[in-house]
Amino acid sequence: MTFSAIAFAAGLASALGFAPTGWWPLTIAATAVMIELVRRAPGLRAALARGWWFGFGQFALGLNWIATAFTFQSAMPAWLGWIAVALLSLYLAIYPALAAGLAWSAARRRSAAALVLAFAAAWIAAEWLRATMFTGFAWNPLGVVLLPTGVAWFAPWLGTYGLSGIAVLLAGALALACRRDGRPAAAILVLLLLGGAGVARLVHGAAPAGEGPPLRIVQPDIGQDERWSPTFALRNLARLGELSRAPPAEAPGRILIWPESAVTDPLEDQRLLRDDAQFALAATREAVRRMIGPGELLLTGGIGLESADRMAATGATNSVYALAPDGRILARYDKAHLVPYGEYLPMRPLLTAIGLSRLAPGDLDFRAGPGPGTATLPLAGRVGFQVCYEIIFSGAVVDRGDRPDWIFNPSNDSWFGDWGPPQHLAQARLRALEEGLPVVRATPTGISAVIDADGRIVASLPLHAAGAIDARLPPPRAATAFARFGNTLPLAFALLLALAAIAVRRKPR
């Protein structure tokens, strides 16, 4: 077996540490194999190739859920989904290759310990770049595999990318131990243990008190194959209403939580549509209004329309609406970080000419909103909004100048098979832990959940189950270090690791 084949196999194995399997020790061991392969590389080109093959294996298996999305539309063949997974993995593997090349160049086979330190620094930088370049794709950062462990307490201080660097350090310590370089391996583990103990004590030292208003999160189990069909619209709306009803003994004053695009007819901007659509839209708005009880608040995903001349719709927005019991719209948030090829089609004239289309139905491309914002609402208090895919971007989910008390994350994970939803949930948990804020997720088919400010799941509904979650809104924590400084902290950590690698490399043997 060639070195490239071993690297590819290690990448495949490393993907099993992410949800839904969650075999995180296997990810650490597989990453240790990759680090040793890079250390043995005879030159920079070989180091880059081994990092690339590792990344290709990890992404090709970990992102297999993307292929499922192509089965829910008829404009393109379903097999094209597997081509999309392969092409995306070919590109994303560039970032592990970059980390491998930088680490090899920094150490040049002189010091295995320097290589480990440089690898951790380069991995942090590479993941940050992956989340930034070409609109970014931050899915499955390496650090998310450590979520079940106590090491995750580094996240409020170093963020997700810093946590990924720690995962590389753990893998590097394992690689060093297998080479019988016991002293540097022990030094890495002792430093991480002491640092983790100190961080955990600081985080636990200021526990939040109290609890917020009652929530009812509705998961209607409406699949992607039926949610946009006109013949199912009334039935789906009726299902939302049935699951939204308060139990007989429950006092009024709840926050009703519906998923992304729960209401598929526009809730406003009806004047942009044909006159013959007005009656149906008014009926939808009235039906939604009747589902909101006295003293309640509805937060729901919906569709907004835009027009240049106020006569015809020229664009759409993937939006969240806050509705009062009388049907008034109290706040609206438009999704800012859109999914290319999902919500809009880049280079539309060219790609349409060769038969490609976006995955979401409709002819209008979605348009981006201005970015994270905070709305102050009755009963709900200060709420931040992140729609679906937006929640995966570490350091970009709240308005730092107007910090909310919690984040509402409506999502539609019904596109993504059985692997995508638990991976999405894990990344939402990291956002809660980083920011010290509860995250409330509502999805049509699961996994809906209430996540507290420590990243723990308070209540949830599994995949493919219809039902409702009744829970109290958890309280926020005080702003974490990451909430104050964002990705400056993991990048500073990467710089510190790089300086340590230089110092270790120059140390006389």
Side-chain angles (χ1 to χ4, degrees):
M1 183 179 285
T2 66
F3 287 115
S4 294
I6 296 171
F8 177 68
L12 290 173
S14 72
L16 297 176
F18 299 100
T21 48
W23 299 342
W24 66 267
L26 184 57
T27 300
I28 300 300
T31 305
V33 171
M34 186 262 295
I35 291 172
E36 179 62 18
L37 288 173
V38 171
R39 188 194 68 82
R40 296 186 183 189
L44 177 59
R45 181 177 295 182
L48 289 167
R50 294 171 190 187
W52 187 89
W53 278 107
F54 176 86
F56 181 62
Q58 183 180 96
F59 291 119
L61 180 56
L63 301 180
N64 71 79
W65 52 268
I66 291 176
T68 309
F70 284 73
T71 65
F72 292 108
Q73 50 78 52
S74 58
M76 295 177 289
W79 56 260
L80 194 59
W82 292 107
I83 302 297
V85 171
L87 290 176
L88 181 60
S89 300
L90 288 172
Y91 160 67
L92 294 175
I94 292 172
Y95 296 98
L98 176 63
L102 289 172
W104 186 92
S105 298
R108 292 187 181 273
R109 303 184 70 181
R110 296 184 185 179
S111 167
L115 176 77
V116 169
L117 294 168
F119 223 128
W123 196 278
I124 293 170
E127 281 201 345
W128 177 79
L129 285 173
R130 175 160 70 91
T132 306
M133 300 292 289
F134 309 113
T135 78
F137 189 73
W139 199 277
N140 277 358
L142 192 65
V144 77
V145 304
L146 298 179
L147 195 56
T149 74
V151 181
W153 281 113
F154 280 101
W157 294 86
L158 298 177
T160 294
Y161 307 131
L163 195 60
S164 294
I166 290 173
V168 174
L169 288 176
L170 289 171
L174 177 60
L176 290 170
C178 290
R179 294 187 67 248
R180 298 184 180 179
D181 286 346
R183 292 178 62 185
I188 290 172
L189 293 176
V190 168
L191 287 174
L192 290 178
L193 182 62
L194 292 176
V199 163
R201 183 174 181 180
L202 286 171
V203 171
H204 283 294
E211 58 184 10
L215 309 171
R216 168 157 280 210
I217 303 170
V218 174
Q219 181 172 295
D221 194 27
I222 299 171
Q224 189 64 25
D225 54 344
E226 59 179 342
R227 63 184 289 104
W228 294 98
S229 172
T231 59
F232 286 98
L234 291 178
R235 192 192 75 176
N236 291 343
L237 200 58
R239 192 184 305 179
L240 286 166
E242 180 182 352
L243 292 170
S244 297
R245 291 197 195 102
E250 186 171 311
R254 303 173 307 162
I255 305 174
L256 292 179
I257 305 287
W258 289 1
E260 178 186 10
S261 303
V263 183
T264 53
D265 286 330
L267 288 169
E268 60 180 349
D269 298 332
Q270 291 100 328
R271 63 188 179 279
L272 300 179
L273 301 180
R274 303 183 314 271
D275 290 340
D276 58 3
Q278 299 301 315
F279 180 79
L281 288 172
T284 299
R285 180 77 170 268
E286 177 61 21
V288 172
R289 185 197 66 77
R290 289 199 303 267
M291 297 176 193
I292 309 172
E296 293 185 340
L297 175 74
L298 171 64
L299 298 179
T300 181
I303 302 298
L305 297 178
E306 293 186 340
S307 173
D309 57 11
R310 308 304 294 172
M311 293 299 294
T314 57
T317 59
N318 189 351
S319 302
V320 179
Y321 292 94
L323 275 72
D326 60 4
R328 285 181 299 118
I329 295 175
L330 303 177
R332 170 178 164 176
Y333 168 80
D334 297 334
K335 184 178 181 181
H337 209 133
L338 301 176
V339 182
Y341 305 99
E343 293 170 309
Y344 70 95
L345 191 64
M347 303 178 293
R348 174 172 281 279
L350 174 62
L351 296 182
T352 301
I354 62 175
L356 298 181
S357 68
R358 63 181 175 88
L359 295 177
D363 297 325
L364 295 177
D365 279 338
F366 286 91
R367 295 182 179 175
T374 301
T376 301
L377 298 170
L379 193 63
R382 299 172 59 76
V383 190
F385 302 99
Q386 290 288 286
V387 178
C388 195
Y389 172 73
E390 292 183 302
I391 200 69
I392 73 170
F393 291 93
S394 174
V397 298
V398 298
D399 180 354
R400 299 203 181 280
D402 191 13
R403 177 177 163 86
D405 292 327
W406 61 290
I407 299 172
F408 174 41
N409 175 222
S411 186
N412 177 14
D413 293 351
S414 58
W415 299 76
F416 301 141
D418 293 333
W419 281 53
Q423 290 176 5
H424 205 178
L425 175 66
Q427 291 166 97
R429 292 178 62 192
L430 273 182
R431 298 297 86 73
L433 189 55
E434 284 175 337
E435 301 288 347
L437 294 175
V439 175
V440 176
R441 302 193 76 237
T443 74
T445 57
I447 304 169
S448 300
V450 178
I451 305 167
D452 71 11
D454 293 333
R456 295 175 298 214
I457 298 174
V458 175
S460 66
L461 280 170
L463 277 170
H464 312 304
I469 298 172
D470 290 305
R472 288 274 180 175
L473 179 65
R477 282 191 175 272
T480 63
F482 185 84
R484 294 188 180 98
F485 301 107
N487 281 316
T488 302
L489 294 178
L491 294 176
F493 181 46
L495 178 60
L496 183 64
L497 289 170
L499 293 174
I502 293 172
V504 169
R505 178 185 167 184
R506 292 182 175 179
K507 184 179 179 180
R509 295 179 67 89

